[in-house]
Amino acid sequence: MAPKNALLHGTLEVLILKTVSQTPRHGYAIARLLEERTGEAIQVEEGSLYPALYRMEQKGLLASKWGRSELDRRAKFYGLTRKGRARLSEEVEAWTAFSQAVSLILAG
Amino acid sequence: MISAEIVKLSRRTLARVFKTPVAAEVKEELDFHIEKQTREYQATGMSRDEARRVAEARFGNLSKVVSDLEKIGKRRDEVMARREWWGESRRDVRYALRQLRRSPGFAVVAVLTLALGIGANTAVFSVINGVLLKPLPYEAPEELVSVTSAFPAMDFDRFWISPPEYFELREWNQVFADIGGYRTGTTSIETNDRPLRVPSAVASWSFFPTMGVSAELGRTFSEEEDLPGATPVALISDGLWRRAFGQDTEVIGQSVRINGVASTIVGVMPPGFDVEDAGVDVWRPLNIDPNDHVNRRGNHFLNLVARLDDGVSLERAQADLDRLEVRWEEEFQGTHTPSSEFHPFRATDFRTDVLGDVRPAMMLLLGAVVFVLLIACANVANLLLARSERRSKEVAVRVAMGAGQARLVRQLLTEGMTLALLGGALGLALGHFALQGLLRVNPDGVPRVAEIGLDWTVVLFTGGVAIVTGLLFGLAPLINTTMAKVGNTLKEGGSRTTRSSAGQRARRMLVVAEVALAVVLLTGSGLMLRSMAALQDVDLGFQPENLLTMEVSLPAADYPTPVDVGAFFTTALERIRALPGVVSATAMSGLPPLRTLDANDTEFEDMEPTEEGPPHNVDYWTSIDADYAETMGIRILEGRGFELADALAETPVMLVNERLARTFYPDQTPLGRRIRPGPSWFTVIGVVADMKQAGVNREAGTELFFYSPQLNRTDGFAYRTQNFMIRTDRNPLGLAEPVRRLLGDIDAALPISDVQTMEQNLATSLAQPRFMTLLLSLFAGVALLLAAIGTYGVMSYSVVERKREIGIRMAMGANSSSVLGMVLKQGAVLAGLGLVIGVAGAFGLTRFLTAQLYEVGATDPRAFVLAPLFLALVATAACYLPARRATRVDPVSALREE
């Protein structure tokens, strides 16, 4: 149970990093985007999204800033820090290498 | 560059001011999310209420998520605040280092100044740490006490204990877990045919359990081995075991000749085990008889160390000794019976007793280095003040842009700390190596030298000093950069003629303060130097130049009778006198100027000891050989010296020193009077001038002299341990080898020790005062240098500041000598004020030196005039250079400059 959770947890972090890599987004946008991009294959529960955002900010992977949103209300936008960007590219590389290796075996 | 920093700074400040509390942040963030989701669902046709319910449901347990987020958020804010604090500190340090790199001259002077101040403190503290703070290397050393006795009537306030007293004390006391007795000395030991003369001690079998030590190899003495007539046994030190026995474990049970007697080695002591810093290599049993309660009551020679029972205080131990004095008085009579009035006992902390009273001297040195450090701080504060004035515009901009006072203070402190820690690191190295150098030159300067070195305590101390120092001077520039001034500085467009009167006043006060501190130190070291000179000028009672000395000790096994001993010395002296370069030679028991007190009971004919008269006891008994007066260069005040004929004369004769003559024969001549030290009466035939034996700085005690060749015959007694005294017409050390060879020819197994010139021996006896003088003078020198640099710096800065004014004056017709006078006067006022305060301070403080001074008063006029005068000269020189520069100001360019 525990390793699987950890994997999921880690995966969530990478996905979040990816979604905010182009432009800063607020929590709702991140949740929607994750659902859309994965064809709703991954259901992100809001109950775990926000704690993840807070922790990532604590780790210095994300930085947040209040700004105006579509609803003309204040919303909190999350963006990548330098450290977050570095982490993202690391994770992408690792994932690519891993999935290539797995594909090679499965294809063979 | 600066503006970029300011923008960063202000953004951070804003962010901090408008920081939202976590709870509000969580609420607003989630509200937004739910509202967004609700509208999304409404768009698909749900009612608002239902949409909102479904949206909230997506969070699962919403209130739990909220409280989780609040918790995580709080933690996140803490972590981020800490990260930011460190980030700021790193930026501050980087900024400080950049500032220092930008003005390397300032950085070098400031760091060196601090290194001197902190280094001096490191050096003194490592001495204090080694000598006073580190526990003695025994088990639970705080439980150890010395038990000593006193004879108030003879002014003996720290006297030894006799064997019967030791046994009775062991049996009767109710406060000690155990008591051991010991006495240090020197011993001859033969190892692999090589005779050695080594520091040694005799110790009771109970000494080792009392100290809480057991042998590293083998065992310590048994109670039976400590009885008289027991088979001779010995313990050796770890050092001797390595040096002379090649760490051979077979050494246990081996028989070696110690003082000519075959003794069995029963144990090797652990490394570092020693007593009184004596470097003991051989331990032998005391061999005293517990049943001999009567005869040896007056034979005081033991040092006693006792271990307090659990929970017993020093006071309670003393109370028990007081109780025993009463019991002793009830059970025994006679002059040597312990009693509260005539022969009291005292319990002292063992460390205090064996180290002597070095604490006041150490505290004095600490006081001196604190002064040096204060001067160093004043100098660096000065530098920082001057620099901050040049930087005041930059600081003002930062404040205007929102860098709060607190932020600014932190920046200043970081700069101060950076300097202080750099100075501290350099000071640590400087202090350590300087001290090691000094100790190498002067190894007997302080007790427990081996314990002195760098350890964590010293490093922590130095770090602490550096931090306090950084706080002290780091904030100095604040005097200048108060918020109130910000507006002014900006308005004035940074004109350099602007006076920051607060800063200037502060800098002048610092000069006054450091001059004052330097005067105190200089006066103190002046007193020490005068005292040292007095010590070196002391009339020793003999001529120490061109004298070679060495000690031999003839073992009873090889020289059974006094006649054998006499024959050896006669032969040896004859041959030594025949060596080229030898003017004359003699042998004597005891080695001036510092030897152990004998304090022997002595009978004076036709004199009854009285209450008020001197006790019939002589401080030193000395046996001397032929040619003594010539060799030592002593003065015969009355009568005559020994002559060869005295050796054969039937009437025993003796010489006494002036002190003895005046003590026992006031207003009359001692010549022809008789004195009985042992079996025979000796007739006094001459009075000789006092010779120092209790130390160069102490008055000579009473002394009587036997003539060895006669003593040998009439009383059948000879001193087995004697010193050769050889007067030469060349460098005495050049004769060391020929004499050694010659003695080796007579007896190859005889070890020779302490081969040195009398002047070396004198130097050793003065090592402690010399070390104090050396350190104090060194500190005074550093103080003087720093004060001079400080004065020079402030005056130079003042001349630069007043350049425009000076230019105007010169344009108005002032000539260079009046400008010179003006600047010098300004400096003289500051230095003068410092001198007055310093002299007043010295008057108050030098009395703490009294105990260290010899024949110099604590307010010695010469030191009190010369030291300030010297400082005045230095201060004048420090002012003169900037004053000269002032006279070279070109009025035209000075006026045009702004």
Side-chain angles (χ1 to χ4, degrees), chain A residues 78-94:
Chain A
Y78 293 89
L80 281 189
T81 61
R82 209 186 310 169
K83 196 173 160 195
R85 194 166 297 284
R87 170 68 60 84
L88 176 62
S89 61
E90 262 171 48
E91 296 282 346
V92 169
E93 252 173 61

Side-chain angles (χ1 to χ4, degrees), chain B residues 577-592:
Chain B
R577 287 180 191 122
L579 283 175
V582 172
V583 177
S584 66
T586 189
M588 71 185 293
S589 63
L591 181 66

Side-chain angles (χ1 to χ4, degrees), chain B residues 681-702:
Chain B
W681 285 101
F682 286 70
T683 307
V684 177
I685 55 162
V687 180
V688 297
D690 290 345
M691 179 173 66
K692 295 284 183 186
Q693 348 86 330
V696 171
N697 56 351
R698 303 275 295 272
E699 262 190 76
T702 52

Side-chain angles (χ1 to χ4, degrees), chain A residues 26-37:
Chain A
H26 50 66
Y28 183 77
I30 294 170
R32 285 295 77 75
L33 209 65
L34 284 176
E35 278 178 6
E36 283 165 26
R37 293 248 175 108

Side-chain angles (χ1 to χ4, degrees), chain A residues 26 28 32 35 45-46 50-51 54-55 57-60 66 69-71 73-76 78, chain B residues 25-26 28-33 35-37 39-40 58-59 69 72-73 75-76 79 83:
Chain A
H26 50 66
Y28 183 77
R32 285 295 77 75
E35 278 178 6
E45 212 178 74
E46 276 81 346
Y50 280 94
Y54 276 42
R55 286 204 185 87
E57 199 180 356
Q58 176 181 328
K59 286 187 207 159
W66 289 91
S69 81
E70 316 86 67
L71 293 179
R73 289 177 60 153
R74 256 159 49 93
K76 206 163 117 202
Y78 293 89
Chain B
E25 176 197 343
V26 170
E28 196 174 357
E29 189 171 15
L30 295 190
D31 274 355
F32 171 79
H33 184 109
E35 180 61 28
K36 217 37 200 159
Q37 187 76 65
R39 293 198 188 182
E40 203 71 22
R58 288 185 60 118
F59 275 90
L69 283 183
I72 300 170
R75 170 99 190 103
R76 176 203 63 193
V79 169
R83 192 181 300 144

